């Protein structure tokens, strides 16, 4: 073996005249062996840093699952069943609760994020987004047009910080025949603005139809105060 040979060579060099061996202490012997083993030829087939890391990871995972399977009912098969049950429970909760919506802390977010614009401006912006297939933005702008139009017609009092839900509830009291459609439109606005949902063309068309229907609605002062259609 090369190590033995290298050590033997080192010892041979330490022999005195007359072939009388010289005693060598433990520390120099270890240093001589380390120098011999540091030769790159001994490490040509060693795994690289990534391979060593992966080997450690797999060893850790194997020990982890081995320990878990020892305490799980039914051994490894029981552990698999437990993991499947946990995954199913998480999926069921996600399906039941859906994407998180606004929390009460954000309930005061304003319907209008920028400066005041007219209903006509919001409708034009909605049309541009719809033609480009940007349904989220189209729904948002059309809902803003609905509320701004009601304010311009004095069916809603202009109020900074009003939310889509608040506007729908207030307008629904004066326009009971449109109350359900107003709530649906407000819900669509909230879904795409705060809930991370994605709108589609039918959702936008619903808000557009609501806006058109409200534009055709004419109320007298008595009707607006009592909530009875004219």
């Amino acid at each position: 073996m090369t190590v033995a040979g290298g050590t033997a060579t080192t010892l041979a060099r330490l022999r005195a005249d007359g072939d009388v061996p010289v005693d060598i202490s433990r520390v120099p012997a270890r240093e001589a062996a380390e120098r011999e083993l540091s030769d790159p030829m001994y490490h040509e087939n060693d795994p690289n840093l990534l391979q060593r890391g992966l080997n450690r990871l797999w060893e850790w995972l194997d020990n982890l699952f081995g320990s878990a399977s020892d305490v799980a009912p039914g051994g490894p098969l029981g552990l698999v069943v437990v993991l499947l049950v946990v995954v199913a429970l998480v999926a069921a909760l996600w399906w039941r609760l859906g994407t998180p919506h606004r929390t009460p802390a954000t309930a005061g977010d304003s319907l209008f994020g920028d400066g005041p614009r007219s209903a006509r401006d919001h409708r034009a912006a909605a049309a541009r987004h719809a033609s480009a297939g940007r349904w989220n933005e189209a729904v948002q702008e059309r809902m803003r047009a609905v509320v701004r139009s009601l304010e311009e017609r004095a069916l809603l009092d202009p109020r900074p910080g009003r939310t889509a839900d608040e506007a729908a509830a207030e307008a629904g009291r004066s326009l009971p025949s449109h109350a359900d459609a107003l709530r649906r439109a407000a819900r669509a606005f909230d879904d795409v603005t705060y809930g991370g949902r994605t709108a589609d063309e039918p959702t936008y068309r619903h808000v557009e139809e609501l806006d058109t229907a409200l534009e055709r609605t004419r109320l007298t002062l008595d009707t607006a105060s009592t909530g009875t259609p004219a």
Side-chain angles (χ1 to χ4, degrees):
M1 182 176 177
T2 306
V3 176
T7 305
T9 301
T10 302
L11 293 175
R13 291 174 180 173
L14 295 175
R15 290 178 182 275
D17 293 341
D19 293 332
V20 178
V22 179
D23 292 336
I24 181 171
S25 64
R26 181 178 300 175
V27 173
R30 185 178 70 248
E31 292 176 349
E34 289 175 351
R35 284 194 299 271
E36 180 69 20
L37 293 174
S38 66
D39 193 318
M41 66 178 292
Y42 294 108
H43 306 281
E44 291 178 352
N45 298 320
D46 287 353
N48 57 34
L49 181 61
L50 177 60
Q51 291 173 328
R52 291 198 297 272
L54 290 175
N55 290 338
R56 291 291 181 86
L57 175 62
W58 289 121
E59 290 175 3
W60 179 79
L61 290 175
D62 182 64
N63 293 334
L64 176 65
F65 282 101
S67 301
S69 64
D70 290 339
V71 299
L77 180 59
L79 177 62
V80 172
V81 173
V82 171
L83 291 176
L84 290 176
V85 170
V86 171
V87 171
L89 288 175
V90 172
L93 286 173
W94 185 267
W95 177 83
R96 177 66 180 84
L97 299 177
T99 305
H101 293 279
R102 290 186 301 165
T103 61
T106 60
D109 292 338
S110 175
L111 174 67
F112 300 98
D114 51 7
R117 288 189 292 166
S118 67
R120 178 179 296 180
D121 292 336
H122 287 296
R123 290 189 185 105
R128 288 193 299 271
H129 289 306
S131 64
R134 296 188 294 267
W135 301 116
N136 282 13
E137 292 84 351
V139 166
Q140 291 171 325
E141 288 297 327
R142 200 73 191 202
M143 184 61 190
R144 290 172 180 139
V146 167
V147 177
R148 184 67 76 201
S149 176
L150 293 174
E151 292 177 346
E152 291 172 352
R153 297 167 59 198
L155 298 176
L156 280 179
D157 293 330
R159 178 161 58 84
R162 176 188 277 125
T163 66
D165 292 330
E166 293 169 345
E170 294 172 21
R173 288 193 288 270
S174 298
L175 302 163
S177 61
H178 298 287
D180 290 341
L182 282 163
R183 282 193 295 269
R184 285 179 56 195
R187 178 65 180 272
F189 179 91
D190 288 346
D191 283 347
V192 302
T193 305
Y194 311 109
R197 302 295 177 90
T198 301
D200 53 17
E201 184 175 1
T203 303
Y204 170 72
R205 297 305 175 193
H206 163 72
V207 184
E208 181 184 44
E209 291 169 3
L210 172 64
D211 187 25
T212 302
L214 291 174
E215 277 291 287
R216 294 172 180 169
T217 301
R218 294 291 180 265
L219 299 181
T220 64
L221 291 178
D222 292 339
T223 302
S225 62
T226 61
T228 303

